[in-house]
Amino acid sequence: MDAIILQILNGLDKGSAYALIALGLTLIFGTLGVVNFAHGALFMIGAFCAVTMQRLLTLSHVVVDESQTDFLGNPLAVNVPYVNSIFGEELGQALINWSVPLSVLLVIPVMLLVGWAIERGLIKHFYKRPHADQILVTFGLAIVLQEIIRAMYGANPIQSPAPPLFSGSVDLGTYLGFQANAIVYPIWRLVYFFFSAIIIAAVFAFLQFTTFGMVVRAGMADRETVGMLGIDIDKRFTFMFGLAAVVAGMAGAMYAPILSPNYHMGMDFLVLSFVVVVVGGMGSLPGAVAAGFLLGILQGFASMNEVKAVLPGIDQIVIYLVAIIILLTRPRGLMGRRGVMED
Amino acid sequence: MLGLTSRDFTLFAIVCALTLLAPIILNPFPTGSALGASFNAGYPALMQRFAIFGILVVGFNILFGLTGYLSFGHAAFLGVGSYAAVWMFKLLSYNIVPAIVLSIIVAGLFSVVIGYVSLRRSGIYFSILTLAFAQMCYALAYSVFTPLTNGETGLQVYTSDPQVLMSPGDPVVPHLFGLQMNTAEVVRVGPWTWTFEVGYYLCAIMLIAAFYLSIRIFRSPFGMMLRAIKSNQTRMNYTGLNSRPYTLAAFIISGMYAGLAGGLLAAMDPLTGAERMYWTASGEIVVMAILGGVGTLIGPVVGSGIIKYLENIVSKINENILHQWFAALPDGLENVLIGVVHPFVGEGWHLTLGLLFMVVVIFLPGGLVEGGQRVGAMFSRKSRNASGVEADAAAQNPNTPAE
């Protein structure tokens, strides 16, 4: 029992990331009808926002500290981050430690801007082109974004630690009545799960309960009619692209402590997220989220030693295997609607 | 001639001439000069790649260009082809004939299975299915099939391998009945050095054969049927035609082309690894096909040539070479120019590639071949006739949805 709970938990953090990326992909596909291969790159840019925030906060200047001396007895010159001088030692250090969660503040404007630029500058011209062209141009864009990030930050993964408050592990088993050390789980992954749950809930609430969201949903159902009613649906769809970019960016920024950001992390996640979208059903938001968690948890189970003993290597391929089976038996995915992406 | 129309024959003859004279054509600058060191591509290792990837993309084009099915997992066939060839080296001998034959057969078998399953769906679902299969092959080659693939180390030939057909005097490098692949004839004419290598000429002859076959397929009733499927599959089905056998045949043919390419890769250098099957390798094949021009005859060869050239030549340019080039300029201007150029060369060549690829997809959906035709049409009054052999292929399907 405890092993099963542990595997479910293990699947949750990856599943949350898949779900967030797949949610954004589906939002873009549902509104603009564009298959966005650059979405993984947006996730990666988000992760590098966390790195940037950390670097911004640790920008330092040299201060001569009279209280310390070097071995010659001269006063020691030390690097002091600007935040320490501005907000004082304690608050400044806290800000630096909390740079990853704080980077969400940076992610929102950056990703809105990036999303807006991509949509207006590039994708706008591809609405009328075939899906294959959209896939190809966004694939090219993903390569370009990835290489720009590599030119700026280098090719090596960059560590970005979680705040000390969340950096350890928690023994969940004791809360649930199991033996001690049966279910030990890193706190940050729990935080990530709750964070993504909040984001997903917020996106759904936004679409369901606001006028803006209602118009967007109407536009997803029948773009032309909404346009005829005198609503500038293009503008709202552009915003939805920005929103999808923000979701991907936040997913990436908060994932930074789990996986040190490197320039190709986006591509690695993108392939799996596409599989998730297809399994969930093209154009179905709940399907994308459900499939994300489902596949994450399945992957968790597949990496159990007991399972691997029976089916060696299953942990590597389970997602693709499930995708193939689902695509062949339920062509529309788990929750796909009729007539979406069918030719 | 050779069963080709005169225009096709002209194109075929041009390709033959270019491939056979490549060691001369690709060395335009004298050996040893600064430009030669940077831009000459006429060395065997690179020319082999031109030819091998040409074969691969010509095969990919038979699937994507004619039927419009975008496979994102084509590198899997290349990978299994390489593994099959290296196993032949390990078990029989270094003779490349059984290796290449087996690599084509194995890749063909894989493509029967993968194609049979994947072709049940079309559009993006087909792309995802092929991607999933290729990623599965990659992951399995890394983990479970380690006894077969040697996992991360990569498969190579050891002296302890059985090699049952090997007699004591046989060469210990891949050879064609004793003719070693790395035998090379070096000719010096004035300042130029030309290397004519057996391995390259094997690849070149294979490329010519592959290209000839692809012309025949393009012009055959079978090729016509594939194009009909691309332009409107629903209509084909309404006329009572079962299109599945045709697409499956195209898939298998293109898989066997990839297997041949994989076998040749192993014959040039008898080792292989799972990374040949990774999905970025499949993406590279797609990029090559698009860049050159999908659905045209010559496009794949152009595309693969350009990308392999960029990969090997542009990535070699480093800051020192840039300083040499711009040394004549005033210092300030020199530094500015280097600052502008440097991100795009050397390690940043992928950036150049990505930008080039985007530009082609945005402005030239028909690839560089279409660009060439447009330029040709500008200079020619009879644009329709003068734009060459490719015009009819491109004109039939300039923007057809590929799903």
Side-chain angles (χ1 to χ4, degrees):
Chain A
M1 185 62 197
D2 49 347
I4 292 174
I5 292 180
L6 186 63
Q7 294 313 325
I8 290 178
L9 286 172
N10 275 341
L12 279 184
D13 63 311
K14 265 223 161 106
S16 321
Y18 296 154
L20 284 177
I21 303 176
L23 182 70
L25 274 174
T26 310
L27 270 182
I28 293 175
F29 182 77
T31 52
L32 301 171
V34 169
V35 182
N36 182 21
F37 254 58
H39 213 67
L42 297 174
F43 176 79
M44 182 238 350
I45 292 178
F48 275 92
C49 280
V51 172
T52 314
M53 193 67 181
Q54 196 189 6
R55 293 204 172 158
L56 279 179
L57 287 174
T58 47
L59 270 184
S60 359
H61 57 149
V62 178
V63 170
V64 177
D65 187 353
E66 299 287 350
S67 62
Q68 288 172 292
T69 52
D70 61 9
F71 62 96
L72 288 174
N74 301 319
L76 193 65
V78 288
N79 277 324
V80 177
Y82 281 110
V83 281
N84 281 14
S85 339
I86 299 170
F87 298 110
E89 189 86 12
E90 206 169 314
L91 184 58
Q93 203 53 45
L95 279 176
I96 291 173
N97 286 338
W98 282 72
S99 62
V100 168
L102 281 176
S103 65
V104 170
L105 297 177
L106 179 68
V107 163
I108 293 172
V110 167
M111 297 314 291
L112 269 179
L113 192 71
V114 169
W116 178 82
I118 293 177
E119 207 280 327
R120 285 291 93 183
L122 183 69
I123 300 205
K124 187 177 79 172
H125 308 288
F126 276 77
Y127 293 155
K128 298 264 152 56
R129 303 268 288 263
H131 283 305
D133 278 9
Q134 297 168 353
I135 293 176
L136 294 171
V137 80
T138 46
F139 181 58
L141 180 70
I143 298 176
V144 170
L145 289 176
Q146 178 176 317
E147 289 303 311
I148 291 174
I149 291 292
R150 189 173 77 157
M152 286 166 68
Y153 292 90
N156 295 325
I158 302 168
Q159 296 249 330
S160 24
L165 180 60
F166 296 133
S167 60
S169 295
V170 61
D171 194 348
L172 278 178
T174 50
Y175 297 109
L176 299 171
F178 295 108
Q179 289 173 338
N181 292 327
I183 306 175
V184 179
Y185 198 66
I187 306 177
W188 183 256
R189 297 187 178 213
L190 278 183
V191 172
Y192 191 80
F193 169 66
F194 285 115
F195 172 80
S196 63
I198 292 169
I199 298 284
I200 291 167
V203 170
F204 276 94
F206 175 73
L207 285 176
Q208 208 67 37
F209 301 126
T210 63
T211 319
F212 192 102
M214 188 184 71
V215 173
V216 168
R217 278 187 293 131
M220 285 163 86
D222 189 343
R223 182 182 186 142
E224 257 179 43
T225 312
V226 175
M228 278 182 223
L229 292 173
I231 295 168
D232 188 354
I233 193 73
D234 284 359
K235 207 170 258 173
R236 294 172 195 242
F237 279 0
T238 307
F239 176 76
M240 289 315 286
F241 191 98
L243 183 72
V246 170
V247 170
M250 290 200 284
M254 295 291 276
Y255 209 71
I258 301 177
L259 177 73
S260 301
N262 57 27
Y263 72 100
H264 52 77
M265 69 192 283
M267 285 291 193
D268 302 344
F269 268 88
L270 177 81
V271 174
L272 289 170
S273 305
F274 253 104
V275 174
V276 166
V277 169
V278 171
V279 168
M282 252 351 214
S284 156
L285 293 172
V289 173
F293 283 111
L294 191 73
L295 290 182
I297 291 169
L298 264 179
Q299 204 177 19
F301 274 110
S303 35
M304 281 168 80
N305 284 333
E306 292 85 350
V307 178
K308 273 202 280 190
V310 184
L311 299 163
I314 187 76
D315 55 322
Q316 307 279 333
I317 59 165
V318 65
I319 287 191
Y320 303 111
L321 210 58
V322 169
I324 290 167
I325 294 168
I326 295 240
L327 274 184
L328 294 176
T329 53
R330 281 188 66 94
R332 284 189 203 110
L334 292 175
M335 302 186 188
R337 282 176 295 152
R338 177 183 287 274
V340 179
M341 276 300 260
E342 289 177 356
D343 23 309
Chain B
M1 241 181 289
L2 294 174
L4 303 177
T5 62
S6 64
R7 282 202 308 198
D8 285 345
F9 185 77
T10 322
L11 187 71
F12 179 62
I14 292 172
V15 169
C16 285
L18 285 179
T19 19
L20 293 178
L21 297 177
I24 301 174
I25 297 168
L26 290 175
N27 274 341
F29 305 107
T31 318
S33 66
L35 280 174
S38 301
F39 290 112
N40 275 356
Y43 52 94
L46 180 53
M47 290 191 300
Q48 288 163 6
R49 296 202 157 240
F50 284 154
I52 292 171
F53 281 86
I55 296 171
L56 178 63
V57 185
V58 164
F60 179 76
N61 191 39
I62 291 175
L63 178 69
F64 182 40
L66 286 180
T67 67
Y69 278 81
L70 173 57
S71 158
F72 241 87
H74 232 60
F77 305 126
L78 181 84
V80 296
S82 292
Y83 278 127
V86 176
W87 267 109
M88 280 290 107
F89 294 145
K90 284 167 87 77
L91 294 178
L92 300 180
S93 77
Y94 271 116
N95 196 333
I96 60 167
V97 173
I100 287 180
V101 169
L102 187 78
S103 63
I104 296 176
I105 292 172
V106 170
L109 291 176
F110 265 74
S111 52
V112 170
V113 175
I114 295 180
Y116 183 77
V117 177
S118 306
L119 284 166
R120 300 166 77 94
R121 311 300 318 279
S122 59
I124 183 159
Y125 296 104
F126 173 79
S127 305
I128 299 276
L129 275 172
T130 46
L131 179 63
F133 274 114
Q135 284 293 89
M136 273 171 63
C137 291
Y138 167 76
L140 290 177
Y142 250 121
S143 54
V144 188
F145 290 142
T146 308
L148 269 179
T149 61
N150 212 4
E152 274 179 52
T153 325
L155 193 64
Q156 50 183 305
V157 186
Y158 300 105
T159 42
S160 56
D161 286 325
Q163 298 195 300
V164 288
L165 294 184
M166 189 100 142
S167 36
D170 277 358
V172 287
V173 289
H175 62 89
L176 180 69
F177 300 112
L179 189 60
Q180 295 185 13
M181 285 298 122
N182 55 8
T183 323
E185 191 69 38
V186 179
V187 178
R188 291 197 173 76
V189 179
W192 285 277
T193 309
W194 297 322
T195 316
F196 301 94
E197 197 211 31
V198 173
Y200 168 69
Y201 275 96
L202 178 83
C203 298
I205 289 166
M206 289 292 185
L207 172 64
I208 289 170
F211 187 68
Y212 176 74
L213 189 61
S214 116
I215 299 183
R216 293 303 297 260
I217 290 176
F218 266 64
R219 300 291 180 241
S220 67
F222 171 68
M224 194 61 91
M225 189 64 88
L226 294 181
R227 273 189 218 158
I229 291 167
K230 178 180 182 175
S231 55
N232 195 334
Q233 187 163 10
T234 322
R235 192 182 295 164
M236 297 304 292
N237 292 339
Y238 284 159
T239 56
L241 178 112
N242 183 7
S243 60
R244 190 82 60 75
Y246 291 94
T247 44
L248 184 60
F251 193 88
I252 296 168
I253 291 171
S254 101
M256 287 164 83
Y257 266 81
L260 169 65
L264 283 174
L265 269 182
M268 296 304 117
D269 190 7
L271 45 88
T272 182
E275 68 283 348
R276 269 183 202 170
M277 301 203 259
Y278 195 54
W279 77 273
T280 47
S282 304
E284 198 186 2
I285 301 173
V286 178
V287 172
M288 287 173 176
I290 301 287
L291 198 66
V294 172
T296 62
L297 285 168
I298 191 75
V301 184
V302 175
S304 61
I306 287 179
I307 287 186
K308 282 292 148 192
Y309 186 80
L310 283 179
E311 182 182 327
N312 285 277
I313 302 298
V314 176
S315 63
K316 260 193 329 202
I317 301 172
N318 55 25
E319 210 164 343
N320 289 335
I321 295 180
L322 286 180
H323 274 289
Q324 279 174 22
W325 287 358
F326 299 128
L329 299 170
D331 268 0
L333 191 61
E334 182 185 337
N335 288 335
V336 170
L337 264 180
I338 289 177
V340 171
V341 177
H342 189 244
F344 295 96
V345 297
E347 288 199 329
W349 82 273
H350 273 112
L351 183 60
T352 320
L353 174 67
L355 287 172
L356 182 66
F357 180 62
M358 278 178 73
V359 167
V360 166
V361 175
I362 295 170
F363 298 109
L364 288 173
L368 292 176
V369 167
E370 188 195 324
Q373 282 165 11
R374 284 196 196 170
V375 174
M378 258 194 284
F379 288 105
S380 157
R381 291 178 61 207
K382 300 184 294 175
S383 62
R384 183 66 185 82
N385 290 332
S387 54
V389 190
E390 297 297 329
D392 49 359
Q396 280 177 10
N397 283 316
N399 273 323
T400 321
E403 43 169 330

